[in-house]
Amino acid sequence: MSKKILISGVGLWTPEHVITNEELVDSYNAYADKYNAENAAEIDAGNVVAKPHSSAEFIQKASGIKQRYIYRKDGALDVDRMRPLIPERTDEELSHQAEIAVVAAKKALAAANKKPEDIDAVIVSCAYTQRAYPAVAIEVQHELGISGFAFDMLVACSAATFGMHRAYEMVAAGNARAVLVINPELVSPQVNYTDRDSHFIFGDVATATVVESEETANAEHVFDILSTKAVTRFSNNIRSNFGYMSRAHDADPYGADKLFHQEGRKVFKEVCPMAAEHIETHLQQHDLAPADVRRWWLHQANINMNLLIAKRLLGREATADEAPIVLDRYANTASAGSVIAFALHHDDLQRGDVGVLCSFGAGYSIGSLVVQKR
Ligand code: CO8
């Protein structure tokens, strides 16, 4: 390919509300006690399983998460509700997800030194969109005053990287001068706060990147995309069954299987080797070895996963400078984790430094970009 395609700007929106592990566990344990008291007879008869207590120590040790951000804190910790309270907006108002997308997008545009008229396409790529249509991306496009076209795409944890892949291809094909890829990960409505196995995992955030060609780029921190690589392999180990079919089958549309649920241990065991092999093969395409990589912006689901993958690749532990961790603060933010790491840890790299941005998760899906500081 003759013209180089690059990432020229990144934006990050962080919610103002925080839930610490301690707050989350206190609320869940109060809920569990109430549930067990209300169901005491059925639990004693063996018909209902008692809810065990959660523990802040377990959460930090098993995942590395200390806190998470949430778009609206009201309701999520209320033992009589256990889900966030986010008032519905009218069709005339900007939707919640578009609102957070716009904030991240504006920051990415500013970082890339771009105006709305410089952008030809908008991709909103994330784990959930709040409605089927009109596409949230088209709403965002309208709000920002961008011409051209926009669309939504869903690839769970790999939505952000897969979105950047599509942007890369669109710019390479000459179908767009510059593409805005936005990841408004408003995941808290799908978290089962009554399930101790998963109540701690997720946080809300929005990230955005600008992908354009070297012909138009004029920002301060610019990264050539050397190539992109993706793989998917079907697995039921991470699943959410919520969807429009609920109305037709009469099952509870908010039942536990309709929310996020997973076989966390299996995911850990199956995804780690898959991700390490994927990254190694991707680097080989450029005659690069893991030791040649200055920075790893890895998916942020579990600190032990990231340590293991980095160790497999490097043969030793990666330093925090080499493979920054943001999930202690942000928790798992679905597809945005690696982009948050990139947003917070990219401007110290020197010309020629190589970095790898990689997501892994539900699907299974793995998406990587090998980039080089210009
Ligand atoms: N407090 C105390 N004990 C607990 C808790 C808790 N909160 N939770 C579980 N335990 C108990 C378990 O019940 C178990 O007890 P026992 O041994 O008696 O059965 C014991 O602790 C050990 O449990 P696990 O084996 O499950 O513990 P792990 O060490 O495996 O840790 C993790 C659990 C942290 C979930 C870990 O397995 C993990 O992170 N795995 C990787 C999962 C992963 O990366 N998934 C990706 C999901 S994200 C994604 O793909 C995006 C989806 C779209 C976004 C959705 C947004 C809503």
Side-chain angles (χ1 to χ4, degrees):
M1 189 188 307
S2 51
K3 83 180 159 191
K4 290 202 167 132
I5 317 297
L6 27 92
I7 301 171
S8 56
V10 57
L12 168 65
W13 168 81
T14 303
E16 61 182 283
H17 306 291
V18 170
I19 299 180
T20 63
N21 285 350
E22 289 71 22
E23 284 176 284
L24 189 79
V25 165
D26 283 352
S27 135
Y28 168 86
N29 287 348
Y31 164 82
D33 290 344
K34 182 168 170 270
Y35 175 92
N36 293 341
E38 283 169 2
N39 293 281
E42 288 291 293
I43 291 169
D44 287 346
N47 300 328
V48 169
V49 179
K51 292 229 177 239
H53 270 194
S54 182
S55 128
E57 297 71 42
F58 170 88
I59 294 169
Q60 196 179 326
K61 192 159 173 284
S63 69
I65 297 165
K66 296 179 183 162
Q67 62 165 49
R68 71 281 303 134
Y69 292 98
I70 188 163
Y71 177 57
R72 294 285 187 268
K73 194 167 176 177
D74 288 350
L77 302 180
D78 174 352
V79 291
D80 295 319
R81 184 175 172 90
M82 301 303 274
R83 57 203 159 89
L85 178 62
I86 305 176
E88 192 175 31
R89 289 184 174 172
T90 66
D91 291 357
E92 284 63 46
E93 291 175 286
L94 190 65
S95 65
H96 292 285
Q97 205 171 15
E99 180 181 304
I100 66 173
V102 164
V103 182
K106 283 183 175 167
K107 291 185 179 183
L109 287 173
N113 208 12
K114 287 281 159 295
K115 296 200 160 37
E117 54 267 33
D118 302 321
I119 305 292
D120 289 332
V122 178
I123 304 175
V124 162
S125 190
C126 48
Y128 305 95
T129 50
Q130 70 170 78
R131 58 168 188 265
Y133 46 84
V136 175
I138 302 178
E139 187 184 7
V140 172
Q141 175 197 12
H142 174 75
E143 186 68 16
L144 291 172
I146 291 171
S147 307
F149 63 96
F151 60 90
D152 293 345
M153 56 182 277
L154 305 178
V155 204
C157 285
S158 288
T161 53
F162 278 40
M164 290 158 87
H165 292 182
R166 302 293 78 76
Y168 171 86
E169 290 159 1
M170 280 152 54
V171 177
N175 295 329
R177 290 166 301 159
V179 183
L180 189 53
V181 183
I182 318 172
N183 325 106
E185 292 292 10
L186 183 49
V187 295
S188 54
Q190 264 279 310
V191 174
N192 186 350
Y193 291 101
T194 71
D195 170 35
R196 99 166 164 163
D197 288 352
S198 63
H199 74 133
F200 58 89
I201 298 179
F202 294 100
D204 297 327
V205 81
T207 52
T209 43
V210 173
V211 175
E212 62 179 310
S213 111
E214 62 182 340
E215 290 157 358
T216 52
N218 61 354
E220 193 185 349
H221 299 289
V222 168
F223 289 79
D224 286 349
I225 301 174
L226 301 186
S227 67
T228 67
K229 187 175 173 66
V231 67
T232 53
R233 197 175 83 203
F234 185 66
S235 166
N236 275 323
N237 289 332
I238 312 169
R239 217 174 149 109
S240 156
N241 290 320
F242 183 77
Y244 81 106
M245 294 289 282
S246 293
R247 184 160 177 260
H249 57 47
D250 294 337
D252 176 3
Y254 310 113
D257 78 298
K258 304 299 183 297
L259 306 175
F260 168 89
H261 58 287
Q262 71 170 351
E263 295 283 343
R265 203 123 280 241
K266 283 191 192 160
V267 174
F268 195 106
K269 277 200 186 134
E270 291 171 11
V271 168
C272 285
M274 216 177 137
E277 193 195 322
H278 176 93
I279 293 169
E280 200 155 28
T281 314
H282 193 177
L283 286 168
Q284 278 164 5
Q285 280 175 224
H286 300 280
D287 290 325
L288 290 167
D292 300 322
V293 175
R294 171 68 186 86
R295 183 146 300 149
W296 305 87
W297 301 285
L298 295 178
H299 184 60
Q300 304 280 319
N302 181 305
I303 194 171
N304 301 316
M305 248 174 147
N306 289 25
L307 293 175
L308 191 70
I309 290 169
K311 200 164 181 185
R312 233 179 138 117
L313 288 163
L314 293 168
R316 60 169 173 81
E317 293 212 341
T319 64
D321 180 63
E322 289 171 315
I325 295 292
V326 301
L327 62 79
D328 51 346
R329 250 177 88 195
Y330 283 89
N332 182 337
T333 49
S335 79
S338 56
V339 187
I340 303 173
F342 179 74
L344 297 176
H345 303 278
H346 72 279
D347 53 12
D348 59 322
L349 292 201
Q350 303 297 309
R351 189 182 159 84
D353 281 347
V354 170
V356 171
L357 212 136
C358 186
S359 64
F360 32 87
Y364 298 134
S365 57
I366 301 181
S368 54
L369 295 94
V370 177
V371 301
Q372 186 164 33
K373 181 79 190 279
R374 179 167 275 248

